[in-house]
């Protein structure tokens, strides 16, 4: 995340600088009035401090050129504001054609200084006009893409829409396919459309592929919303480590909220012959680590909470302390709603958590959310859990197998 501080005379000035320098996805985090300059505490000028930030994970290009409104646009805005004002005072709002009233650039410059409120309104209207313009460009681009698309490509698009893949990625994929067809001067048949789509998306996912729990980490924390399968997943992974890899595993649980939560992990601990420590607060952690000093690997279970709330996120983060190499895995269930998963991923990636594990693959046939989340938050998928059976229903995340599921075989399209 890139955070920047602006000291300006009025908010609209900050807004246009933020848009130009940080791009249109930047958000204002805080504004406050400050006093600057002066002499011995006197004659200090009132200014406004604005803190803005932009997510650098999915680097959005800042606006290419500082988009200053032309005098003509100013004139149109002026016209809208005047008409609106007349409309409020006289109870009617009749809009005249803007061109007829457009004053010359010189006339625009000669206007008296605007009030902050007026500047705010003007900025608002300018933003609206820009957004509308961007929307129109997008719409016409979509229209022209539709004309160029062959039947198999339309089918591919439909399949990916059903899979709830974000429009942004569908559009990018179609554009790349069309470009490829043009370069090769031919039209792809259905099978090839599917193959090419797979290889393009595999390229996108490549930087995030082959992630596993770090072999360096001695402590691995599992966090995630309620009921996504954290405890079950820990049991599956612990079985793999103890039985197949011969590692000495230890468990810690901080899930003391839910009745029987400790017993749930204790049952797995007994079956796998793994010691378990219970912590009620961060201050219990040193004792728990001491109790497990002989173990090669420690899996820590945490309570599922409503992590759309920042408060719960910071609470669980406070439990993830250790002086030893450690990492945290965010567990998300594919039965969750994409928007909720996105909010939760956003919360945890802000704390630097990038590894993710998806569960309940067996309970859905819609897989787009995985790609959306990986690309939006630069998440590294580790495992896919696909059932309730411990220890079998889990496997490493493989890009190729995942894309086969996402694309389907094209038969029913
Ligand atoms: N179908 C399916 N069910 C799963 C999967 N993983 C876990 N479950 C089930 O989901 C339910 C909740 O699993 P838990 O492991 O208790 O989930 P949790 O995240 O620890 O839950 P809390 O600790 O309450 O937040 C149980 O019934 C599990 O058997 C999976 O991959 N597929
Ligand atoms: Mg649990």
């Amino acid at each position: 995340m890139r955070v920047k501080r602006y000291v300006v005379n009025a908010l609209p000035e900050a807004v246009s600088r933020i848009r130009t320098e940080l791009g249109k996805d930047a958000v204002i985090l805080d504004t406050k009035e400050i006093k600057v300059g002066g002499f011995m505490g006197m004659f200090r000028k009132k200014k406004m401090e604005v803190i803005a930030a932009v997510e650098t994970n999915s680097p959005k290009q800042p606006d290419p050129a500082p988009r200053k409104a032309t005098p003509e646009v100013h004139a149109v805005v002026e016209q809208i504001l005047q008409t609106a004002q007349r409309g409020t005072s006289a109870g009617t709002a009749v809009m005249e054609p803007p061109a007829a009233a457009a004053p010359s650039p010189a006339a625009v410059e000669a206007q008296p200084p605007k009030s902050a409120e007026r500047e705010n309104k003007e900025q608002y209207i300018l933003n609206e006009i820009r957004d509308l313009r961007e929307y129109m460009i997008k719409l016409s681009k979509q229209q022209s893409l539709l004309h160029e698309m062959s039947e198999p490509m339309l089918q591919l698009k439909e399949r990916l829409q059903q899979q709830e893949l974000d429009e942004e990625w569908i559009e990018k994929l179609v554009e790349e396919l069309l470009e490829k067809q043009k370069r090769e001067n031919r039209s792809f048949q259905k099978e090839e459309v599917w193959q090419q789509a797979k290889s393009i998306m595999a390229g996108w996912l490549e930087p995030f592929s082959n992630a596993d729990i770090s072999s360096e980490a001695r402590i691995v924390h599992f966090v995630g919303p309620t009921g996504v399968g954290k405890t079950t997943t820990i049991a599956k992974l612990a079985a793999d480590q103890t039985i197949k890899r011969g590692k000495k595993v230890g468990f810690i649980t901080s899930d003391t909220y839910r009745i029987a939560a400790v017993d749930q992990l204790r049952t797995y601990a007994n079956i796998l012959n793994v010691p378990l420590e219970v912590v009620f607060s961060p201050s219990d952690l040193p004792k728990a680590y001491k109790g497990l000093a002989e173990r090669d690997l420690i899996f820590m279970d945490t309570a599922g909470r409503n992590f759309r709330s920042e408060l719960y996120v910071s609470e669980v983060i406070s439990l993830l302390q250790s002086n030893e190499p450690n990492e945290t895995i965010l567990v998300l269930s594919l039965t969750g709603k994409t928007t909720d998963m996105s909010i939760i991923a956003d919360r945890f990636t802000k704390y630097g958590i990038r590894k993710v594990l998806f569960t309940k693959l067996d309970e859905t046939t819609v897989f787009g959310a995985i790609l959306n989340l990986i690309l939006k938050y630069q998440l590294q998928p580790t495992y896919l859990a696909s059932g309730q059976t411990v220890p079998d229903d889990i496997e490493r995340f493989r890009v190729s197998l995942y894309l086969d599921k996402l694309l389907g075989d094209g038969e029913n399209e």
Side-chain angles (χ1 to χ4, degrees):
M1 177 181 284
R2 193 172 153 212
V3 180
K4 217 171 160 185
R5 175 175 173 266
Y6 294 86
V7 176
V8 289
N9 291 320
L11 193 59
E13 184 190 337
V15 171
S16 70
R17 281 178 59 192
I18 291 165
R19 281 208 151 213
T20 315
E21 290 173 33
L22 299 182
K24 67 179 169 44
D25 293 323
V27 288
I28 292 177
L29 298 178
D30 193 24
T31 58
K32 72 167 179 260
E33 217 175 73
I34 53 166
K35 289 195 172 153
V36 295
F39 176 66
M40 295 181 79
M42 290 179 293
F43 312 115
R44 287 163 74 78
K45 271 195 198 145
K46 265 195 195 167
K47 293 260 183 188
M48 194 158 214
E49 182 191 74
V50 179
I51 311 288
V54 69
E55 193 56 69
T56 43
N57 291 342
S58 49
K60 294 270 161 51
Q61 294 302 319
D63 294 353
R67 294 194 298 177
K68 275 206 157 165
T70 60
E72 288 77 14
V73 173
H74 266 298
V76 174
V77 171
E78 197 62 29
Q79 175 83 18
I80 295 170
L81 283 172
Q82 277 171 15
T83 315
Q85 220 141 31
R86 273 207 303 277
T88 13
S89 51
T92 51
V94 186
M95 191 93 95
E96 289 162 32
S104 69
V108 172
E109 265 157 36
Q111 281 169 5
K114 295 170 190 132
S115 72
E117 191 199 357
R118 199 178 175 77
E119 273 190 39
N120 262 336
K121 277 187 191 162
E122 185 175 315
Q123 191 61 48
Y124 173 78
I125 295 170
L126 282 172
N127 290 345
E128 289 288 294
I129 294 174
R130 266 176 208 148
D131 289 349
L132 197 65
R133 188 170 160 267
E134 272 162 23
Y135 177 70
M136 298 298 283
I137 292 172
K138 197 169 151 203
L139 211 64
S140 76
K141 205 164 124 192
Q142 274 174 357
Q143 284 299 326
S144 64
L145 279 184
L146 268 181
H147 284 302
E148 285 180 61
M149 280 163 75
S150 61
E151 189 56 32
M153 270 197 217
L154 289 168
Q155 288 167 351
L156 175 75
K157 186 176 171 182
E158 200 180 319
R159 161 79 193 181
L160 295 176
Q161 278 171 337
Q162 283 164 3
Q163 289 293 309
E164 294 177 9
L165 194 68
D166 280 347
E167 276 302 323
E168 178 190 355
W169 302 116
I170 299 181
E171 225 169 85
K172 196 162 182 272
L173 182 67
V174 167
E175 274 174 31
E176 288 196 30
L177 281 169
L178 287 172
E179 256 170 47
K180 203 154 195 215
Q181 278 195 155
K182 259 189 212 151
R183 267 202 312 273
E184 297 183 18
N185 199 19
R186 65 198 180 93
S187 182
F188 297 148
Q189 297 303 305
K190 179 158 185 175
E191 208 174 306
E192 204 175 352
V193 167
W194 253 248
Q195 278 167 3
Q196 296 282 1
K198 184 176 173 184
S199 107
I200 290 170
M201 289 195 282
W204 296 347
L205 293 176
E206 225 283 315
F208 312 103
S209 64
N210 293 323
D212 196 350
I213 294 170
S214 162
S215 54
E216 311 275 296
R218 185 166 168 260
I219 298 149
V220 186
H221 312 102
F222 293 81
V223 295
T226 58
V228 290
K230 295 177 292 297
T231 309
T232 316
T233 300
I234 287 175
K236 290 174 184 172
L237 293 174
D240 179 60
Q241 292 288 343
T242 49
I243 300 163
K244 290 199 195 137
R245 307 193 202 190
K247 286 254 176 98
K248 289 200 290 180
V249 176
F251 286 157
I252 298 180
T253 182
S254 67
D255 187 357
T256 49
Y257 294 95
R258 211 163 40 82
I259 296 170
V262 174
D263 287 341
Q264 186 190 359
L265 192 60
R266 199 185 301 282
T267 308
Y268 288 123
N270 290 340
I271 296 169
L272 295 165
N273 197 21
V274 161
L276 168 73
E277 295 282 339
V278 181
V279 295
F280 289 88
S281 71
S283 60
D284 297 333
L285 282 168
K287 192 170 153 273
Y289 290 144
K290 213 168 161 197
L292 300 171
E294 301 300 314
R295 312 311 287 181
D296 304 323
L297 185 61
I298 298 170
F299 285 145
M300 176 159 163
D301 196 6
T302 59
R305 306 305 296 266
N306 170 16
F307 289 126
R308 295 167 85 259
S309 149
E310 282 278 10
L311 186 72
Y312 288 136
V313 177
S314 56
E315 193 180 77
V316 75
I317 294 288
S318 74
L319 281 160
L320 313 182
Q321 318 158 6
S322 154
N323 297 326
E324 295 189 63
N326 67 90
E327 72 177 350
T328 302
I329 314 281
L330 172 63
V331 183
L332 291 174
S333 161
L334 293 172
T335 53
K337 284 205 186 102
T338 314
T339 15
D340 295 333
M341 281 199 264
S342 188
I343 292 168
I344 290 159
D346 185 46
R347 298 265 187 273
F348 281 98
T349 48
K350 287 208 172 106
Y351 288 95
I353 293 164
R354 294 259 170 254
K355 292 216 173 148
V356 69
L357 189 154
F358 294 102
T359 60
K360 309 202 182 178
L361 184 77
D362 54 311
E363 288 195 38
T364 184
T365 50
V366 179
F367 308 108
I370 296 184
L371 190 140
N372 295 338
L373 288 170
I374 294 176
L375 294 183
K376 186 163 180 198
Y377 298 104
Q378 325 240 296
L379 296 175
Q380 297 175 296
T382 52
Y383 289 82
L384 272 178
S386 55
Q388 295 179 288
T389 311
V390 178
D392 292 334
D393 291 340
I394 196 159
E395 56 184 38
R396 290 277 305 279
F397 181 92
R398 299 271 174 228
V399 168
S400 176
L401 291 180
Y402 163 65
L403 289 176
D404 287 342
K405 282 198 175 298
L406 179 72
L407 286 160
D409 53 15
E411 282 302 298
N412 302 320
E413 270 47 69

